[in-house]
Amino acid sequence: MSVWRGLRRRGQAWSTRWLPYRAAVQANEELPSRLKWRTIYFLGSPVWKVAFACPCGCDDIVELCLMTSVRPHWQASVDGADRVTLNPSVWKKQGCKSHYFIRQGRIIWV
């Protein structure tokens, strides 16, 4: 990993502690070609999936299913300030192996 990429990754991980993730509702089934940093996209009508860039800065896209008939699934809620809460935690088993909660738009690292 280059020095620049390492510094960028640390900066992005640090910024997620202080700058909240926001909700962006998408009516279609596809993600935009470039994801906005600190934005969680809600996909489908009715909404069945959320997607966002991994907060560690590894450039992976995290996609989580919201359908209760599928295992595993997550629950998402959005407050009046568009801050997102996801339950349970997100734990990437491959790649960067990040483990975190998203509570009121904030990343809580485990």
Side-chain angles (χ1 to χ4, degrees):
M1 172 171 16
S2 72
V3 173
W4 173 247
R5 186 171 178 173
L7 289 173
R8 188 187 96 199
R9 186 175 177 183
R10 284 187 184 154
Q12 288 176 339
W14 179 85
S15 72
T16 58
R17 291 180 182 214
W18 311 110
L19 303 171
Y21 271 67
R22 302 287 183 189
V25 177
Q26 300 283 109
N28 57 9
E29 303 289 327
E30 297 194 21
L31 286 171
S33 58
R34 288 194 64 172
L35 300 182
K36 292 182 183 177
W37 182 245
R38 296 182 355 259
T39 301
I40 296 178
Y41 295 88
F42 287 77
L43 302 170
S45 181
V47 175
W48 64 276
K49 175 172 82 168
V50 295
F52 54 95
C54 186
C56 81
C58 70
D59 295 329
D60 283 349
I61 296 174
V62 178
E63 297 183 43
L64 305 173
C65 181
L66 299 177
M67 297 186 324
T68 57
S69 61
V70 176
R71 298 248 184 245
H73 68 273
W74 282 257
Q75 295 174 335
S77 61
V78 181
D79 67 10
D82 284 340
R83 296 176 302 195
V84 179
T85 297
L86 288 175
N87 286 311
S89 66
V90 179
W91 190 357
K92 290 184 62 183
K93 302 283 183 166
Q94 298 173 349
C96 66
K97 301 187 190 253
S98 295
H99 188 193
Y100 50 89
F101 290 91
I102 299 179
R103 298 281 186 259
Q104 292 183 329
R106 306 259 188 239
I107 302 298
I108 302 168
W109 295 97
V110 178

